[in-house]
Amino acid sequence: MRLILSTLLLGIILGCSGTDQTQNLSPKEAFIDSLLNEMTLPEKIGQMSQATGSFEFTGPITSDSSTLELVRTGRLGSFLNVVGAERTREAQEMAVNGSRLGIPLIFGYDMIHGYATTFPIPMGEAACWDLDLIKRSAEITALEASAAGVHWNFAPMVDIARDPRWGRIMEGAGEDPWWSSKVAVARVEGYQGDDLSSTGTIAATAKHFAAYGAAEGGRDYNTTEVSERTLREIYLPPFRAAAGAGVASFMNGFNDLNGVPASASHLLVRQILKKEWDFKGFVVSDWASVQEMTDHGYAASDKEAARLSLAAGCDMEMVSTTYETYVEDLVAENASYLAMIDDAVQRILGIKYDLGLFEDPYRYSDAGREAKYVLHNDHFKHAREVAKKSIVLLENRDNTLPLDMDLAKIAVIGPLINDPVTPLGTWSAQGKKEHVTTLLEGVQLAVSEQTKILTTNGCEVNSADKTGFKKARSLAKQADVIIAVVGEEAMMSGEALSRSDIGLPGVQLELLQMLKATGKPVVVVLMNGRPIAEPWMYENCDAVLETWHLGVQSGPAIADVLFGTYNPSGKLPVTIPRSVGQIPIYYNHKHTGRAFDPADRYTTKYIDEKYGPQYPFGYGLSYTNFEYSNLLLDKSSFQAGESISIEVIVTNTGPVAGEEVVQLYVRDMIGSVTRPVLELKGFEKIMLAPNESQTLHFSLSAEELRFWDEEMQFNWEPGDFKVFVGPNSEDLLEAEFKLL
Ligand code: GLC
């Protein structure tokens, strides 16, 4: 069955491919062209179709016999949710040995924060502000996945999110386009490496294209209405960055963007992605998002949905079967679709070629490598490192933290103290609770033998039952300090998991209030998949750690911070609102004509809520203190083609060594359209010993000051600017310059 393929491959290698080499085709192009010429229309459509496996590690790949028949007859090009060296090999043999051309399958899977070794949820990891660490998480994910037969990751998710009611805010890198773009590149490079054919790398996917995070009301899958300027200024940059980094694929969003479902958006896919950005990879729909265009009321039938998606450049249909069912008819009615089909198939075959699947379809289905690399101990070391650096210290009154390791009695109280599932977060792939070290276990491992640990849950995460308060109060009164572990369970954020209220669920706030009333110091450990709005907690408890869902090494990482083994350095990649009523609230907002002024009634504000957030973008404390001074510019004005140098001195004025994320922002004071009051343009994470100072240098060019102007041209405009440097997006030194 593979004779044709082998002949083609050999022909390419020997340089006698039958294709006219005078066309200067690369070996890859020549091979794909030759293969395409061999393919029937049904076989081409098969490459554009993806089915799901059974999600299980054992048993039949799928219970759908018709799907298996499609595999055997070359009418299916990809599976998702088929993982493991053995199962992928089994499915691959069906395709390679069963079908006429033996074109290998490509196996896709969702591994947004790890394959088996699970790292912090992506938004939490974005709080570490260490691109090398973030890239390393992706590299390990690729190493484990590619050893388990998986070729293709439906990650990174690069959607900007400004609404924490939206459950999928946990999947991206937060609210800022500049930082999300840097993180997107780190993750794409981590997954794909320098060579997709290497057995340690996998194809990546930039998703969900585009503006899926702008869902009205924060309700997942909901309508998105975004001006083209906001689309290009805020939502597209991380996708552009991923494309620039060579990401292998894009995934359509479920959302209708300004009335057009993303899966059929000519603007997004044909115009911006494939034409403007010259994207050479392929586009996969989201789960049944092609067929759902009938639900959107955009396609009158499944056949019309297939036509609209194909015409808009969606190359592969995930799970729904409109391509398999109707595209032959579409071609019979209009042969012009053939060129679109050939383009789609060439893109898909191109990634399979780059992965080395034509040379060896089984290279990733290697049980020996799977046993060697999956859950390797080195991966757990990294998991602890990146987890502890993702923790954000939000409050530390009277230096409650760090705790002594030889305290006599510590009360560890709360519904999440020993929960091994929640730290895995949502979208946890092959991460399993038995891989997790819980917070209680982490504390037990950290303290001295003399320390007595008193534990009780006190309440559940999301119930009204307060019968556990009595025991909790009793234990708290006996302790020197209370570690209260509260927040959201894993499945309270993620896909289809939006919340209308972003406070602590159930009676957890009342638990904290009861514990605080005992008079003992209360250290809050928050575990959550979105910013939590809970002013009383932040303003009354003695210390608050934002720990997100930190993955398999959650417990040790949090204990490292609690007991001072590691001085926390995380900074928020998202704004934390004071209340759900403030949403959307984000740092890079416009000035308006009536900026907030407490002394002036007629300015933008609420009469029943404070104006500002609980904590701003970029915020995070340390066990030491940092002082910023001497913000200097090397010139007061410059013109395009030049750059301006900015320097600042940062000094550790506190008692212990610590890392600081020094942030650089700008403000374009006047524009042909209104401009944000702040835009992140740089950062540097530094380590300083006590009393140590460091002079940091940044530079800015006119290119970095470009925006989509009144004519929708991406350009800079001369005028006055301010530049800011500081530890977050509010406490800033400022200077000014002119762009000529
Ligand atoms: C889901 C998600 C998408 C995921 C896909 C495959 O519905 O929207 O992010 O990659 O289906 O699981």
Side-chain angles (χ1 to χ4, degrees), residues 133-313:
L133 278 182
I134 291 170
K135 181 176 178 181
R136 183 65 189 139
S137 297
E139 287 171 346
I140 292 171
T141 301
L143 188 58
E144 294 195 355
S146 58
V150 180
H151 308 133
W152 174 27
N153 194 359
F154 301 135
M157 187 272 216
V158 300
D159 297 304
I160 295 294
R162 292 172 150 178
D163 186 336
R165 292 172 295 181
W166 189 51
R168 302 196 79 165
I169 191 171
M170 52 67 64
E171 291 185 43
E175 70 189 45
D176 180 67
W178 187 91
W179 177 230
S180 295
S181 298
K182 298 294 183 188
V183 172
V185 170
R187 287 174 173 155
V188 167
E189 292 177 348
Y191 295 135
Q192 299 191 163
D194 299 327
D195 175 6
L196 267 189
S197 69
S198 154
T199 47
T201 62
I202 53 179
T205 309
K207 71 182 186 182
H208 306 80
F209 197 52
Y212 176 42
E216 280 185 0
R219 288 190 301 278
D220 203 3
Y221 315 123
N222 203 10
T223 300
T224 57
E225 288 287 346
V226 176
S227 70
E228 184 172 349
R229 175 169 293 107
T230 300
L231 178 69
R232 289 182 179 274
E233 290 274 357
I234 302 297
Y235 294 98
L236 289 187
F239 287 100
R240 181 70 189 85
V247 71
S249 67
F250 266 56
M251 183 186 292
N252 300 128
F254 282 120
N255 54 305
D256 64 320
L257 175 59
N258 302 333
V260 178
S263 301
S265 171
H266 276 259
L267 170 67
L268 287 175
V269 182
R270 290 245 184 254
Q271 172 59 31
I272 293 174
L273 178 61
K274 292 184 175 178
K275 184 176 178 187
E276 281 181 34
W277 298 352
D278 192 26
F279 177 65
K280 299 299 186 191
F282 70 89
V283 176
V284 63
S285 77
D286 202 337
W287 185 290
S289 66
V290 168
Q291 190 276 327
E292 284 173 8
M293 281 193 285
T294 56
D295 302 277
H296 277 285
Y298 190 73
S301 65
D302 286 1
K303 181 178 177 182
E304 183 62 2
R307 189 187 68 76
L308 289 165
S309 289
L310 176 61

Side-chain angles (χ1 to χ4, degrees), residues 400-450:
T400 302
L401 292 177
L403 303 176
D404 292 336
M405 290 178 184
D406 55 7
L407 277 169
K409 284 186 183 176
I410 300 176
V412 181
I413 296 173
L416 296 172
I417 61 173
N418 205 29
D419 176 344
V421 174
T422 290
L424 289 171
T426 187
W427 287 116
S428 55
Q430 291 299 310
K432 308 226 182 302
K433 62 182 181 182
E434 49 268 25
H435 306 149
V436 173
T437 304
T438 67
L439 174 115
L440 178 59
E441 290 164 340
V443 169
Q444 288 166 334
L445 289 167
V447 297
S448 68
E449 290 173 2
Q450 293 79 5

Side-chain angles (χ1 to χ4, degrees), residues 371-420:
K372 178 180 177 184
Y373 289 113
V374 175
L375 295 170
H376 192 284
N377 190 45
D378 289 349
H379 303 169
F380 278 67
K381 288 176 185 168
H382 171 75
R384 181 170 181 167
E385 183 73 9
V386 68
K388 72 187 185 185
K389 295 191 172 185
S390 300
I391 294 170
V392 182
L393 178 61
L394 297 176
E395 295 293 348
N396 192 22
R397 294 180 173 87
D398 303 327
N399 295 316
T400 302
L401 292 177
L403 303 176
D404 292 336
M405 290 178 184
D406 55 7
L407 277 169
K409 284 186 183 176
I410 300 176
V412 181
I413 296 173
L416 296 172
I417 61 173
N418 205 29
D419 176 344

Side-chain angles (χ1 to χ4, degrees), residues 71-138:
V71 175
R72 292 192 192 96
T73 55
R75 300 290 304 273
L76 190 75
S78 175
F79 266 117
L80 72 152
N81 300 322
V82 174
V83 301
E86 184 182 336
R87 285 166 65 71
T88 53
R89 178 176 290 273
E90 180 190 349
Q92 196 69 287
E93 283 170 346
M94 258 184 239
V96 170
N97 299 332
S99 67
R100 184 176 75 90
L101 291 173
I103 297 174
L105 296 165
I106 181 171
F107 297 107
Y109 194 45
D110 295 280
M111 304 169 284
I112 64 170
H113 56 121
Y115 170 71
T117 305
T118 307
F119 306 116
I121 53 173
M123 175 183 64
E125 188 182 65
C128 80
W129 293 78
D130 184 326
L131 292 168
D132 292 337
L133 278 182
I134 291 170
K135 181 176 178 181
R136 183 65 189 139
S137 297

